[in-house]
Amino acid sequence: MNRTTLPALVVLGAAGLLLPVVPLSSLASAAAAEQTVPVLNGDFADPVMKGDGPTTVGIDHWTGLNQRYSPAASGRTDASHGVALQKDGNTLQQRLRGVRAGAKVTVRYEDSPAVSKECTGEQVVAGQPYAVVGSGGPVQELVTAGDPDRVKGTPGKGRWTGRAYVFTASENEPLLTFTSRVTDSRTHVTCSPMVARIRAVEVPQDVDKTVSKTSLGTSEAYKGNERESTLHNAAAACNGENACTFRPDTRTSFRYYDRARVVGEAFVNCTRNALEHSRLLSYSERAHDSISQTYAEAGLALNEVARLPTSGDRTEDEKRLKERPMATQFALAHEKVWQRPWQWFSSDQRTVVEKIQPGEVSWVEMQPSRERVEGWFVSKKDDYRLHAVIDGPSRAVPDRLLQRTGPMSEAEKQRCAAARPMTTTPVGADAPASSSDKGLLKTPAPAAAGVRAGLRSVPLN
C-alpha cells in the first residue's frame, strides 16, 4: 500500500535515537588498513628442540615433515629457527587463521640456501629453487641467494634474504604452502632451500552488512590445517562445559537495526471525527545461527550438541539454553568481550495511544535492534575449529517503535464508502411512517423533590 507518513513521526521507545549501522568494534568502522594475521609458530620454535639439528619431528601447527635447524645452526641472529624443505616436492603448509575470502594477504619471510654440511658447492652456488603459493594466488617461483664458497662437509652460515608474497584469498582460512623445487636425485635430502621467520598481514574486505539473518552463510570446520567434510566431529569436540572456547572476531561483528515490520493491526477511521484510543502491542525476537542453516541446506539432521537456542520455539530454546554446552561457551565469550549479556530471544509489550484523523489509517512498525557475531568454536587442544555466525536480539540500544498515520488506500476508501449492512422491510416498505400510537403514551405527573408520584394518565392534546 502506498502510504505517506505525517511530518511529526512519533518514535516510541527510542526517542531521539537515529542509529545507523554501528560496529561492535572501532576496528570494523575504520578505513581498510593492514591488519596482522596470526601465523602460528612462525619462528618454528615449537616443539622445543634439543641440539642444533637437523631434526624431522613435526613442527607445531605446520603440516609436512621438514628438517629444522636451531637459530645458531641456521646462521641467524634472532630466535627464529630455519626449516629446510625436503626435496622432491615436499611441502610446508599452514592455514592462515581468521582470513576471509577476498582479503588481500601479504606474507613476509626470509629464505636461504641450505646450511647442511651434506651440500656440495655446485648444489648451492647459484641458489636453490622453491615455490610459495596461497589459496587463490599465483604460484611464485623463487631461487635463494647463492653460496659460492661452500665445501661439502662444512656447514653453511646462511645467506638470508627478505621476501614478500602477495595474494588475494579465494577461500576462508587460505592455505599457505612452501614447496621445494630441488629434484636432483643426487642431492642429499637435507640439502634443500630454507625458510624462516614467517609473518603475514591482510587488508580484509568490507563486512557485508546486507546479508539476511536467515542466510548467514555456510559454517566450516577444520582439524589442524585440514578442512573437515562435515561439522559433526568439530561440534562433538565441543560437547562439554569447558571443551571449547568461542573466539569472536570483533572486526566482522556488528550491531544493526533490522527491517521494519508492522506490529498488530492497522486501524482505519471511517468516521467524520478524530478518534483517540489505546491498544496493547506485543512482539518478540529470536536468534539465528549459521550452523543450523548449514545442516538444513545440506538436508541433514542437526547434530544434537550443535543445537543452539535458535529454533524459534521458546520452550525448546529455553531447554537448549540450559543443556547445550556450545550455547554457554558462546554466551560467556560474548559477555567477556562486550561486557553485556547475550540474548538468544526477547519479548516485550507496551500500550500505545493512537490519535487518528478522519479518513486516515494508523499503524505501528517495529525495527528491532540486533547484533551479529562471527567467530570460532575452538577445542581446548586447538585442533578442531568450527566457524559460526550468530545473529540475535540486542539490548545494546533500544528497539524502535514507529507510530504512523497516513491516508487510506483505495481499498480502504471503498470499504468506508460501503453501505451499512441492512435487512429489508417486505410489507409497506414504501409507505410513510404511521402515527397509530398517538394518545397511547403515558407520562408521569410532576412531583416535588423527594415525593414519589402516583401514576396517572395525561391526555396528549
Side-chain angles (χ1 to χ4, degrees):
M1 290 186 281
N2 294 323
R3 306 261 192 228
T4 58
T5 305
L6 290 182
L9 185 66
V10 182
V11 181
L12 304 177
L17 181 63
L18 297 175
L19 183 74
V21 174
V22 180
L24 293 177
S25 165
S26 59
L27 286 175
S29 61
E34 283 191 350
Q35 300 176 13
T36 301
V37 174
V39 179
L40 304 183
N41 197 21
D43 289 334
F44 305 117
D46 297 318
V48 175
M49 65 181 295
K50 297 179 180 180
D52 289 329
T55 62
T56 55
V57 177
I59 304 171
D60 288 358
H61 303 295
W62 293 89
T63 300
L65 293 177
N66 300 274
Q67 287 74 45
R68 185 168 56 137
Y69 293 79
S70 69
S74 301
R76 298 192 58 81
T77 58
D78 58 10
S80 181
H81 296 60
V83 171
L85 308 172
Q86 285 190 12
K87 65 175 185 175
D88 297 329
N90 186 62
T91 59
L92 178 68
Q93 297 179 314
Q94 183 179 139
R95 288 195 177 273
L96 300 179
R97 269 62 164 178
V99 177
R100 311 303 290 161
K104 182 180 179 182
V105 183
T106 301
V107 179
R108 295 185 175 91
Y109 64 99
E110 297 177 38
D111 67 15
S112 170
V115 297
S116 171
K117 64 181 180 181
E118 301 296 334
C119 294
T120 63
E122 65 175 326
Q123 290 171 338
V124 294
V125 64
Q128 293 182 294
Y130 70 98
V132 58
V133 64
S135 300
V139 177
Q140 184 167 304
E141 303 286 349
L142 299 113
V143 177
T144 68
D147 194 356
D149 301 325
R150 291 286 296 283
V151 177
K152 186 173 181 179
T154 303
K157 297 181 179 180
R159 293 178 176 267
W160 294 98
T161 304
R163 304 285 190 181
Y165 171 68
V166 181
F167 71 100
T168 298
S170 63
E171 63 175 345
N172 301 328
E173 305 275 290
L175 188 65
L176 176 65
T177 303
F178 294 90
T179 306
S180 171
R181 295 296 197 220
V182 175
T183 58
D184 189 341
S185 60
R186 296 172 297 173
T187 301
H188 192 276
V189 67
T190 61
C191 186
S192 55
M194 303 178 68
V195 293
R197 200 176 186 280
I198 300 175
R199 303 289 188 268
V201 295
E202 67 165 328
V203 177
Q205 282 193 319
D206 292 336
V207 179
D208 185 358
K209 297 175 182 176
T210 64
V211 175
S212 169
K213 61 182 179 291
T214 58
S215 302
L216 296 174
T218 302
S219 287
E220 302 163 323
Y222 298 86
K223 184 177 183 182
N225 293 315
E226 299 299 322
R227 186 191 297 271
E228 295 278 280
S229 59
T230 70
L231 308 183
H232 296 324
N233 292 336
C238 295
N239 192 15
E241 184 177 352
N242 298 312
C244 285
T245 300
F246 185 80
R247 298 177 183 172
D249 188 343
T250 58
R251 304 172 306 167
T252 53
S253 301
F254 59 95
R255 65 174 182 251
Y256 68 101
Y257 274 127
D258 204 358
R259 290 182 178 180
R261 69 173 187 267
V262 176
V263 180
E265 299 80 17
F267 198 104
V268 183
N269 185 2
C270 292
T271 73
R272 296 185 177 90
N273 302 308
L275 297 178
E276 180 174 331
H277 75 112
S278 61
R279 59 168 160 163
L280 184 66
L281 294 177
S282 299
Y283 52 90
S284 62
E285 286 289 301
R286 53 167 287 200
H288 301 263
D289 74 276
S290 62
I291 297 176
S292 61
Q293 292 173 9
T294 300
Y295 274 87
E297 186 175 347
L300 300 174
L302 184 60
N303 198 2
E304 180 71 24
V305 70
R307 293 180 181 177
L308 297 173
T310 59
S311 70
D313 182 320
R314 187 63 172 264
T315 302
E316 171 64 19
D317 287 341
E318 288 177 345
K319 178 182 177 183
R320 293 182 182 184
L321 182 60
K322 297 176 181 179
E323 298 178 355
R324 296 277 68 84
M326 289 175 66
T328 302
Q329 294 159 11
F330 175 84
L332 288 174
H334 179 275
E335 186 165 359
K336 181 178 180 180
V337 172
W338 287 290
Q339 299 298 303
R340 63 173 180 272
W342 172 261
Q343 290 193 122
W344 293 100
F345 37 78
S346 66
S347 59
D348 201 0
Q349 62 180 17
R350 63 190 64 195
T351 300
V352 175
V353 177
E354 294 181 302
K355 296 181 180 180
I356 316 171
Q357 298 301 317
E360 288 194 335
V361 182
S362 172
W363 71 99
V364 177
E365 294 179 0
M366 177 194 177
Q367 276 190 287
S369 168
R370 299 185 66 86
E371 57 186 299
R372 185 168 300 174
V373 179
E374 180 174 345
W376 297 85
F377 288 96
V378 182
S379 67
K380 286 298 183 181
K381 295 181 179 180
D382 201 24
D383 49 1
Y384 281 108
R385 308 190 309 283
L386 174 57
H387 178 263
V389 182
I390 298 174
D391 190 302
S394 172
R395 286 296 175 265
V397 293
D399 296 330
R400 279 175 174 163
L401 280 180
L402 298 96
Q403 182 175 334
R404 305 184 64 182
T405 59
M408 298 180 191
S409 68
E410 290 303 318
E412 289 163 342
K413 290 178 181 178
Q414 292 174 13
R415 180 63 258 168
C416 286
R420 178 167 57 93
M422 297 283 288
T423 187
T424 60
T425 305
V427 179
D430 56 349
S434 168
S435 59
S436 60
D437 58 351
K438 186 175 182 180
L440 298 180
L441 298 179
K442 295 180 179 181
T443 58
V451 178
R452 182 178 177 86
L455 298 176
R456 65 190 180 91
S457 300
V458 179
L460 300 174
N461 295 329

